[in-house]
Amino acid sequence: MKMEHIERPELLIIGGGPAGLSAAIVASNHGVRTLLVDEGVKLGGQLVKQTHKFFGDEEFYASKRGFEIADILVDEVKRSPNVLTLTQTSVIGIYEDAVGVYDRTKEKVFSILPGYILVAAGASERFLSFPGNDLPGIYGAGAVQTLVNQYGVLPGKRFLIVGSGNIGLILAYQLYQAGADVVAIVEITDRIGGYEVHAAKVKRLGIPVLTNHTLVRAIGQERVRGAVIAKVDEHYSPIPSTERELVVDVICLAVGLVPSVELVMQAGAELIYVNELGGYVPRRDFRMRTTVDNLFVAGDLAGIEEATTAMIEGKIAALTIVEELRNLDLSEEIERLQKKLSIFRSGPTSEKVRRGLEKMGIHYEGVSFQNVKQTPGLEHKLKPVIECFQPIPCNPCETSCPTGAIVVGDNINNPPKIDYEKCTGCGICAISCPGLAIFMIQEDYTGNRSLIGVPYEFLPLPQKGDVVLALDRDGNIVSNAVVEKVIKSKNLTNLVYISIDRDLAHSVRQIVMPESKPASYVCRCEDVTVEDVMRAIDAGFTDYEELRRYLRIGMGPCGGRTCSSLALNLLTRKTGRSPYELRPQISRPPIFPVPFASLKGGEEDEG
Amino acid sequence: MRDKSIVIIGGGIIGASIAYHLAIMGAKNVVLFEKNYVSSGATGRCGGGIRQQWSARGNVRLAMRSVRKFETFKQELGWDIEYRQGGYLLLAYTEEEAESFENNVKMQREEGLHVEILTPESIKRRFPYVNTTGVLLGTFCPTDGHANPHLANFAYIQRARELGVEVYTHTEVTVVETSSNRVTGIQTKRGYLKCDVLVNASGAWSKDVANMAGSDLPTESYRHQILVTEPVENFMTPLIMSFSKNFYIRQTLHGSFLMGQGDPDEKPGINYRTTLRFEKEIATKLTTVLPFLRNMRIVRHWSGHYNMSPDAQPIIGRDRNVENLFHAVGFSGHGFMLAPAVGEALAEMILTGKTSHIDLSDFDMNRFERKLVKEKNVV
Ligand SMILES: Cc1cc2nc3c(=O)[nH]c(=O)nc-3n(C[C@H](O)[C@H](O)[C@H](O)COP(=O)(O)OP(=O)(O)OC[C@H]3O[C@@H](n4cnc5c(N)ncnc54)[C@H](O)[C@@H]3O)c2cc1C
Ligand SMILES: Cc1cc2nc3c(=O)[nH]c(=O)nc-3n(C[C@H](O)[C@H](O)[C@H](O)COP(=O)(O)OP(=O)(O)OC[C@H]3O[C@@H](n4cnc5c(N)ncnc54)[C@H](O)[C@@H]3O)c2cc1C
Ligand code: SF4
Ligand code: SF4
């Protein structure tokens, strides 16, 4: 009975984070023979590491701490008769003939033949290339969280954190709580990435968040003894004269998460590049089904988001699978959950996720977010879009507008309102706004291209006809763009008009000139440096797969998890081709190295 | 002939070698189309083994000529393709196999190839990491070897480009236009191109291309899987292979071990997925023959395709129906090693009507009307 349950479950769930656990509870409550495998020692995924209180929805344990939520979910799973859980067990591949699973305690690979698969494997951390990035003492933020919050071990005394998203901010707070010194958080863009409240918390502790700064190199021979940081210029390149040394023994990289799509890719599901969701993600429908019929996804793997949404997505996927297995109609419950998701995603902080899902044809309505989409029928018109939502005492937009189209009103703290009837599209407001929060947009420009006017304060100024890189609100390169015209202004805020794919009209908010940013290792398994990649691109290897094979990028034991996105990024910067045109590195099993002995058949086992 | 427009379909090692050889022989008007990227087909997925120990005489000659060319590859093209002559050690496990090995060696020696016959004891002495249990004899040819297929493929393409060949990647040939048994032009998404000669070097898609040109080929494509370990210190110089046990394994210069086997149950067709069964079978079999593998770790496993003719030998030469169509296809598991000689011979054939080193008549497509000599030394 147990063997059968393991070898032929009706539903195999890969990953025991909030998404996988929630799905397991739903499936087992409906009597579905479910097997949940997770490679960690404890179930709970990212939650186990979180000691802070969660935002979100009451039904989904808001204001409980992350690890407490994990305990509640795990408890419920443990009490359920229809779920078997295997920990310290990794899925190594979804093969044509079976799912390969590696039992780390017995060091044995066995096969599973499930009816349905839900992949809820979460995300892995992005890496960075800089000189010295192969020294001991450099960690991903997740690894440090595991050490500190799960094992109570501090890997050093003085920390530098790279990246000011929520993860970097929360980690700084947790390290402080654990008694470590956080020397600084460096952030390459000009603003803090995470929620203001998280930032405020960290700032109150006296931890400096240095925007427009980057890590230049790590110092040390055997291990990290310090770090050199510097201010960056408009191309995000360090300015040498601003370099300074910090004495630190740990450098934590908190530069974002990438969905762990390897298994889904191996199963043959289609991926699409959605920058807002973390990079390449599986194409899926409202019910979380991928393009492979019996393969579902949920949680961070489907798009980097939150525990709450991961739980809801897990439930929706499980309910859909139950419907099919048991021939039931559960649409009422599914709709209720969809509504929850939709409310959750309606806020301004989910704007990015909404934009991302839109690219898959999954639409969630936003509330109180000013967006040109709210003014239908104006697609032909060149008009300003004002992205200024926080009440701040400021009104040059109002005072500069020659036609009185913009109104801030009596209280200078009011966010501006615009009357498009009165607007002539002159662009003066965009040049006047000290916050660079106004963009000129004409959605219908030519064919399927839109025109965007971006306020630009750097030199050299691009010229008409130049091809530049278009960045989104987070500074990610999303496409290349053609400069259509440049309006120079005395106040040095110039307006650069670019044309881009219409799809991107609501994403692109910045441009940079294509240019290389040399640093160090791209692939640490195979010792490939940025210079190697640049030289190869110059020699004509402009196809990612050719480049990869020429330099052996991603062929080492890491399976390309860190280096492939770095190499893709270089290729994008150097050639000006967007990641939409490039394809992700093909994932080949096993997703991490397994010993031959674990696969070998023979006397002692089933073979 | 040198001004005629020659179109090559396929940017694998075969198409690339043909393009390069045409260019150095002075052809001025050569265009190569690759529907994906360079080395995306079998070439970029193959084991990179280079062997002269064949059972069919034609293959021995072709392979020997290729080895001459691999030996001078670096001087000629200026690319280091990690070529290494560490030999091939073939292991015989049955009486029948041992006997046929002895016959093969006789024929191979007639062709001037230096091959040794080794007893299990001498195998043990020379290659102490091999478990010789069950081995009856081995044959060893020291000039066999291996190279890095990606680099070889890129080398031919880059040199061809430098010599004036136009190479278009991500450009599939979708239509071949013919008129009274002659190809007149081809169509890609970039437009129509008139051509005087069309070369089919499309690997696994050989039959589709022949059909587009109004002819046919008796070829089918079969998936073959292969895996690689993480790199370690270099110590295993020869490629080791057994037909009856169905495996081959080599250590790359980079240090990793590449290995594969054939699967008699494989259905024809294009299939890039991999099976867990393959990993288990390979692990079970090879940890016995090479016990050191037990503690090594597999890092990647992928698949490619053998393009097979009925006698497991390539089809090289002019089409029987369409006059100005040439094929270089059906290379089963040995197209990489033959590419230098095939490229040279086919380029000569196209430009001058004859070949100077290799008699291609063994490989023409009319042979399927005659009695077949099947190549037996395949995995
Ligand atoms: C610092 C930080 C703070 C956060 N704060 C909040 C917050 O306040 N509110 C909120 O809602 N969300 C928060 N989140 C986000 C939340 O933790 C994640 O969105 C959520 O955990 C995603 O759930 P998941 O189930 O998709 O993936 P995960 O929780 O990542 O779980 C994936 C699981 O899959 C397992 N796995 C992966 N690959 C394999 C394999 N091949 N074989 C077997 N098992 C595998 C992993 O071991 C892991 O246990 C925070 C995240 C971080 C990092
Ligand atoms: C697992 C495995 C191991 C192997 N090991 C060895 C070995 O050790 N030694 C050895 O010598 N050989 C080996 N081989 C065989 C060897 O890989 C092939 O014989 C050889 O690579 C064939 O080269 P090719 O150029 O004919 O084919 P390919 O490399 O497949 O190139 C054909 C190209 O044509 C392109 N194409 C097809 N149709 C069109 C079209 N309509 N328009 C444009 N382009 C098109 C394809 O995209 C493809 O890139 C192995 C093969 C496999 C699969
Ligand atoms: S575009 Fe011109 S008219 Fe319209 S709001 Fe701006 S300044 Fe006023
Ligand atoms: S000038 Fe800019 S920042 Fe100031 S209120 Fe107007 S839109 Fe906002």
Short mmCIF file of all heavy atoms in Angstrom, two decimals, chain A residues 27 142 144 241 258 317:
data_model
loop_
_atom_site.label_atom_id
_atom_site.label_comp_id
_atom_site.label_asym_id
_atom_site.label_seq_id
_atom_site.Cartn_x
_atom_site.Cartn_y
_atom_site.Cartn_z
N ALA A 27 -6.08 18.54 -1.74
CA ALA A 27 -6.18 17.28 -2.48
C ALA A 27 -6.53 16.14 -1.52
O ALA A 27 -7.41 15.31 -1.80
CB ALA A 27 -4.87 16.98 -3.21
N GLY A 142 19.21 34.04 0.81
CA GLY A 142 18.45 32.89 1.31
C GLY A 142 19.31 31.97 2.15
O GLY A 142 18.87 31.46 3.19
N VAL A 144 21.90 32.80 3.90
CA VAL A 144 22.16 33.44 5.19
C VAL A 144 20.93 33.33 6.09
O VAL A 144 21.03 33.03 7.28
CB VAL A 144 22.57 34.92 5.01
CG1 VAL A 144 22.69 35.61 6.35
CG2 VAL A 144 23.88 34.99 4.25
N SER A 241 36.46 57.32 -8.91
CA SER A 241 36.87 58.27 -7.88
C SER A 241 36.02 58.16 -6.62
O SER A 241 36.35 58.72 -5.59
CB SER A 241 36.79 59.69 -8.43
OG SER A 241 35.45 59.97 -8.80
N VAL A 258 14.81 34.06 -9.06
CA VAL A 258 14.44 33.56 -10.39
C VAL A 258 13.61 32.29 -10.21
O VAL A 258 14.04 31.38 -9.51
CB VAL A 258 15.69 33.15 -11.20
CG1 VAL A 258 15.40 33.18 -12.68
CG2 VAL A 258 16.88 34.00 -10.85
N ALA A 317 -4.96 25.05 -8.02
CA ALA A 317 -4.42 23.95 -8.82
C ALA A 317 -4.95 22.62 -8.31
O ALA A 317 -5.42 21.77 -9.08
CB ALA A 317 -2.89 23.98 -8.77
#
